[in-house]
């Protein structure tokens, strides 16, 4: 069984991003990323903090906006417009999910598609579906694809099952794996909460991607011997023995599933670090395209 080390792969990607950022800065302007979060969800705060720290380590121009939970739609859209017009900002990310009173889809549509480093704008979603390489692709599925490639997993002709149909992970993951070319050409099934006999569907998978958001839902009954299992879940569960009062577990019951696998990602240290690394790559790409 191969343990897929996302932290190590992400470290190599980030080292390259740092080189690129240095060169771009010397050419006249550092890559700039703006991260916006509304409200005080602790997990979102941790992700946003981690994105900002990574930007600083890489020498990016980094801007963080932490807005109160009662921020109005109009105020949020106003900030997005301001960031669209800011020449020093190449990438804009509005952390998901926002509070319930915010119309998230409407906010995403306001982001300049050329600065949409999350790949959530309908223009970029359409480009991904149309296999247009100029698309910005959502960071988590892009990171999963890179991890598979870096781990020597051949996706061409493989049976891939993606559990979860979100716009952030499941749908773009399925599009990436079925796209023509390296890291693609798989036969893809999207499974979800209404799938009949989920375990049987999952057992068809040579490559199983779990993006459900339910702690340890994928057990040994869901996994064929010799499968590659990618765990996208980051779930906080109470743990009195931990000084934070919680610990992180994936959507996969790692201890029971790992012995069956050809390769598996751990949580933490698997997909999580790749998401941030892909965000940094997307921001470099946006900076290159926008110019100085
Ligand atoms: N929430 C969870 N993952 C993501 C992500 O990749 N981007 C944004 N904006 N919000 C998220």
């Amino acid at each position: 069984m191969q343990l897929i080390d996302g932290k190590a792969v992400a470290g190599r990607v980030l080292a390259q991003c740092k080189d690129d950022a240095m060169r771009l800065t010397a050419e006249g302007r550092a890559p700039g990323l703006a991260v916006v979060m509304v409200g005080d969800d602790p997990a979102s705060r941790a992700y946003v903090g981690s994105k900002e720290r990574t930007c600083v380590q890489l020498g990016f121009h980094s801007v963080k906006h932490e807005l109160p939970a009662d921020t109005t739609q109009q105020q949020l859209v106003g900030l997005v417009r301001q960031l669209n017009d800011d020449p020093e900002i190449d990438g804009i990310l509005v952390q998901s999910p926002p509070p319930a009173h915010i119309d998230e889809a409407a906010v995403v549509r306001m982001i300049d598609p050329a600065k949409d480093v999350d790949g959530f704008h309908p223009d970029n979603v359409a480009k991904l579906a149309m296999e247009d390489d100029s698309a910005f692709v959502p960071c988590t599925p892009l990171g999963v694809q890179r991890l598979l490639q870096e781990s020597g997993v051949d996706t061409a002709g493989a049976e891939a099952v993606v559990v979860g149909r979100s716009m952030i992970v499941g749908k773009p993951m399925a599009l990436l794996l079925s796209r023509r070319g390296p890291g693609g050409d798989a036969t893809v099934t999207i499974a979800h909460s209404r799938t009949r006999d989920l375990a049987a569907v999952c057992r068809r998978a040579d490559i199983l991607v779990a993006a459900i958001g339910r702690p340890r839902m994928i057990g040994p009954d869901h996994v064929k011997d010799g499968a590659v299992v990618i765990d996208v879940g980051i779930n906080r569960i109470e743990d009195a023995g931990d000084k934070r009062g919680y610990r992180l577990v994936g959507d996969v019951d790692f201890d029971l599933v790992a012995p069956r696998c050809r390769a598996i990602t751990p949580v933490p240290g698997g997909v999580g670090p790749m998401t941030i690394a892909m965000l940094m790559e997307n921001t470099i790409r946006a900076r290159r395209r926008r110019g100085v």
Side-chain angles (χ1 to χ4, degrees):
M1 191 271 292
Q2 174 194 356
L3 192 62
I4 298 178
D5 188 346
K7 210 173 158 192
V9 176
R12 293 198 288 275
V13 171
L14 291 178
Q16 180 65 51
C17 287
K18 191 171 180 174
D19 272 8
D20 292 344
M22 215 163 3
R23 198 159 306 125
L24 290 165
T25 304
E27 287 170 13
R29 190 170 64 78
L33 178 66
V35 178
V36 180
M37 99 164 248
V38 184
D40 40 27
D41 176 64
S44 289
R45 182 155 305 208
Y47 299 144
V48 163
S50 168
K51 287 164 186 173
E52 193 199 20
R53 275 194 303 280
T54 308
C55 279
V56 171
Q57 281 160 10
L58 267 46
F60 284 24
H61 169 56
S62 168
V63 179
K64 181 168 75 170
H65 291 272
E66 288 186 293
L67 306 179
D70 61 359
T71 299
T72 64
Q73 180 83 17
Q74 212 180 1
Q75 287 168 327
L76 181 55
V77 166
L79 175 58
V80 168
R81 283 188 206 278
Q82 183 191 316
L83 295 168
N84 282 341
D85 293 339
D86 185 337
E88 304 217 315
I89 294 297
D90 300 294
I92 302 171
L93 177 148
V94 180
Q95 186 65 25
S96 183
H101 69 277
I102 297 290
D103 178 351
E104 187 177 10
V107 174
V108 166
R109 281 196 299 273
M110 291 310 303
I111 297 173
D112 178 350
K115 296 190 175 188
D116 173 35
V117 286
D118 256 332
F120 293 171
H121 189 284
D123 285 10
N124 283 310
V125 177
K127 282 182 173 177
L128 174 59
M130 295 165 79
E131 307 195 17
D132 177 337
D133 289 336
S134 73
F136 281 112
V137 177
C139 303
T140 301
L142 192 60
V144 169
Q145 186 184 49
R146 179 73 69 84
L147 261 188
L148 290 170
Q149 291 178 284
E150 296 283 329
S151 310
V153 177
D154 190 7
T155 53
E159 287 278 351
V161 176
V162 178
V163 191
R165 53 182 158 180
S166 72
M167 292 308 296
I168 298 187
V169 187
K171 283 203 183 73
M173 186 79 255
L175 288 168
L176 278 177
L177 289 168
S178 58
R179 189 164 76 166
R180 290 160 185 82
D185 289 319
T187 304
V188 180
T189 302
I190 302 181
H192 46 75
S193 53
R194 301 294 300 271
T195 295
R196 205 186 314 134
D197 200 351
L198 178 68
V201 172
C202 291
R203 279 196 304 272
R204 297 207 298 255
D206 302 312
I207 300 167
L208 181 63
V209 180
I212 314 143
R214 289 184 187 277
R216 294 188 282 230
M217 206 192 91
I218 300 297
D221 291 352
H222 297 79
V223 179
K224 171 169 82 174
D225 280 328
V228 174
V229 175
I230 305 293
D231 190 350
V232 179
I234 304 178
N235 307 291
R236 290 184 174 205
I237 61 164
E238 260 184 62
D239 183 353
D242 189 291
K243 60 178 185 298
R244 299 167 301 184
Y246 69 89
R247 72 197 159 91
L248 299 178
V249 300
D251 292 348
V252 176
D253 193 337
F254 184 91
D255 293 343
L256 298 181
V257 167
R260 307 199 77 135
C261 295
R262 179 185 135 201
I264 185 168
T265 59
V267 175
V271 174
M274 291 302 293
T275 296
I276 294 195
M278 295 301 103
L279 176 65
M280 300 299 137
E281 269 198 1
N282 280 351
T283 304
I284 299 243
R285 200 161 155 236
R287 158 67 181 84
R288 284 211 174 98
R289 275 204 229 153
R290 292 185 62 252
V292 176

